[in-house]
Amino acid sequence: MATRESLLDVTARLYAEHGWRGTTTRRIAEAAGVNEVTIFRQFGSKASLLLEAIAKSAGSRRGPELPAVPGRLCDELTTWGLAHYRAIREKSGVIRACLADWGERPELAPQACESGAVAFADVRRYLTVARARGLIGHEGSVEAAAVMLINTIFMDAITRDTLPAAHPHSSEQSITLFVDLLLRGLGTPEGA
């Protein structure tokens, strides 16, 4: 018999493939090897099961964190950016399905956006500390820089396979270039 965790995993996988409407309790039951009554006993409704599965899938893996005290900005941001990129790619199916269903299901926003909000806060904190330590210049908005980096990495991770012409560099090269542009824009001295 399927455990609660395995039902959540199967549901998240099916949701990534079929979206809200296409992820029926019948389809979930068949894929998990249980009957539909088991699903309703454990979760009460399709909506409860889907929301829990999406939340677990989209937010279960704590994202990478930047060091508390910035040191070598380029290296630290690039390492963080690559890890953040991989985390998004890993959940890209669920994220895409959430974006597609968002208009009809606004309750998906917290699940779809939680890791991005956490990442934004971490990058903003890191850049603020870097500025206070004199590692970046005093020109430019730290908040805007954080949003730019988060959104750029997100869009690259979500669209790389669907818009290959928009991605002339490898993901590793792109992250390195994104970080370089961000640091130049904030007036980082060479070699920081």
Side-chain angles (χ1 to χ4, degrees):
M1 179 174 230
T3 65
R4 183 177 187 86
E5 291 301 310
S6 67
L7 280 170
L8 291 170
D9 291 342
V10 165
T11 302
R13 180 179 52 79
L14 291 172
Y15 176 72
E17 294 171 10
H18 304 288
W20 191 276
R21 289 184 187 199
T23 306
T24 63
T25 54
R26 173 176 283 175
R27 186 175 264 162
I28 296 165
E30 287 173 3
V34 299
N35 63 45
E36 286 182 87
V37 173
T38 301
I39 292 170
F40 290 106
R41 279 190 190 138
Q42 288 196 31
F43 296 95
S45 69
K46 171 187 167 177
S48 294
L49 170 57
L50 278 166
L51 287 172
E52 189 173 336
I54 292 164
K56 178 181 181 274
S57 175
S60 65
R61 295 169 195 91
R62 181 99 173 123
E65 292 182 13
L66 287 158
V69 178
R72 298 207 32 92
L73 302 183
C74 185
D75 294 342
E76 292 165 357
L77 283 167
T78 300
T79 299
W80 175 88
L82 288 167
H84 188 62
Y85 174 87
R86 286 189 292 273
I88 294 168
R89 286 295 299 165
E90 192 174 291
K91 344 177 206 190
S92 64
V94 169
I95 292 169
R96 285 177 181 163
C98 282
L99 292 172
D101 289 330
W102 203 322
E104 276 185 46
R105 301 248 168 227
E107 66 271 24
L108 295 175
Q111 284 80 13
C113 297
E114 181 185 5
S115 62
V118 170
F120 167 74
D122 191 35
V123 173
R124 181 182 59 192
R125 175 209 48 85
Y126 177 86
L127 293 174
T128 300
V129 173
R131 178 167 277 164
R133 294 187 69 218
L135 299 173
I136 59 176
H138 294 285
E139 301 288 322
S141 166
V142 165
E143 289 79 14
V147 167
M148 183 184 72
L149 185 61
I150 298 300
N151 288 347
T152 304
I153 292 171
F154 178 83
M155 286 305 293
D156 190 299
I158 293 297
T159 65
R160 180 167 286 274
D161 57 340
T162 58
L163 298 169
H167 303 284
H169 306 287
S170 71
S171 56
E172 292 81 10
Q173 291 169 321
S174 291
I175 301 299
T176 300
L177 292 169
F178 299 157
V179 167
D180 178 65
L181 286 169
L182 174 123
L183 292 176
R184 286 174 192 256
L186 290 174
T188 305
E190 285 292 319

